[in-house]
Amino acid sequence: MSDSMPGPGTAARTAPGATPVGVAQDPSTGTPDGAGVPPAPAAVPSPEPAAPAPLGIGRTPTGDADVDARLERLADADHLPADGHIEVYEDVHRGLRDALTALDARPAPAPVPAPMPSYDNRS
């Protein structure tokens, strides 16, 4: 490596009083931009929970009215605090599980047609 370009994991060598490489310098004072300016205070987290906000996730229709209705029910969670989501998720899960179970159910046997009456006039 050359002395002018530091390698990975090494600090750049800067002469005393010189501006480090990559730091902009204020042309009027000759000092690095931001020198002498205290850093901005860090954002203090609020003790209150954030307001509910929609996630903005699109829902693609499946073509099955029952499944589509269940998926649309997920939008109800967008307006609830986090502790209210579980009720919505459980309801949707239950409905989707029932829809899948219905796919596995055997269809009822087709009705057997009644025999046709015979109209034999050979008497």
Side-chain angles (χ1 to χ4, degrees):
M1 297 259 147
S2 97
D3 287 339
S4 62
M5 294 298 293
T10 61
R13 294 184 200 160
T14 306
T19 302
V21 176
V23 175
Q25 194 170 17
D26 183 347
S28 63
T29 63
T31 59
D33 281 347
V37 178
V44 178
S46 170
E48 297 297 319
L55 295 176
I57 298 173
R59 293 171 191 86
T60 304
T62 64
D64 183 296
D66 188 41
V67 170
D68 289 342
R70 294 294 176 181
L71 294 177
E72 283 302 315
R73 169 101 165 88
L74 289 173
D76 293 345
D78 286 347
H79 309 289
L80 297 172
D83 61 352
H85 290 188
I86 190 74
E87 183 180 334
V88 173
Y89 295 155
E90 286 178 347
D91 180 47
V92 171
H93 182 259
R94 190 174 23 258
L96 292 174
R97 186 181 57 227
D98 291 347
L100 286 172
T101 301
L103 292 174
D104 289 338
R106 294 180 182 241
V112 177
M116 297 290 290
S118 173
Y119 295 107
D120 189 10
N121 291 334
R122 291 185 267 163
S123 342

